[in-house]
Amino acid sequence: MVTMQEIREDLRQIRYYYSKKEMFENATKYIVASSVVDKVNRYNEAVKDAPPRLYDLYVSLYVQNNTQAALAYEWDYCNDYIKRLNKQLCVFFFKAFNGDM
């Protein structure tokens, strides 16, 4: 069973991975791939079944490495709305990984 805290930590690691993706890919030429790559693949596989708004949020926040504030400005929403969407995304992953879907 995956907890919400683990999901939040995984998402932080995924954001970091995408911010340094080229380094991670180049490193695999010399050493074994980081375990974060498995997390990235797991979350990417799960998010494909997410509602479009949550899919877009995942890409915008974690793949494109935007902050919630920057995304709120770009989408012309308040910060609280993006925060609520991010919570919905975490709940989506919680249900997907714990068999509630």
Side-chain angles (χ1 to χ4, degrees), residues 10 18 26 34 37 48-50 73 76 83 85 91-92:
D10 287 350
Y18 278 111
N26 288 335
S34 172
V37 174
K48 74 178 185 178
D49 296 325
Y73 179 79
D76 199 25
K83 185 176 181 176
L85 280 178
V91 168
F92 170 82

Side-chain angles (χ1 to χ4, degrees), residues 59-101:
V59 171
S60 297
L61 285 179
Y62 300 104
V63 176
Q64 296 176 346
N65 196 27
N66 286 304
T67 64
Q68 289 183 16
L71 190 59
Y73 179 79
E74 182 181 326
W75 286 4
D76 199 25
Y77 290 117
C78 69
N79 290 342
D80 287 340
Y81 179 71
I82 300 300
K83 185 176 181 176
R84 283 194 307 266
L85 280 178
N86 193 50
K87 185 172 182 173
Q88 289 176 20
L89 180 65
C90 290
V91 168
F92 170 82
F93 284 128
F94 181 84
K95 289 178 179 178
F97 296 144
N98 291 310
D100 292 343
M101 293 186 78

Side-chain angles (χ1 to χ4, degrees), residues 10-22 25 39-41 43-45 47-48 54-67 71 86 89 93:
D10 287 350
L11 290 172
R12 281 187 210 89
Q13 290 178 15
I14 289 167
R15 173 180 276 157
Y16 185 81
Y17 167 82
Y18 278 111
S19 73
K20 304 250 183 213
K21 186 177 181 208
E22 188 174 325
E25 289 174 349
K39 284 181 190 177
V40 167
N41 292 334
Y43 279 76
N44 288 350
E45 184 64 26
V47 81
K48 74 178 185 178
L54 295 182
Y55 182 93
D56 191 11
L57 182 78
Y58 175 78
V59 171
S60 297
L61 285 179
Y62 300 104
V63 176
Q64 296 176 346
N65 196 27
N66 286 304
T67 64
L71 190 59
N86 193 50
L89 180 65
F93 284 128

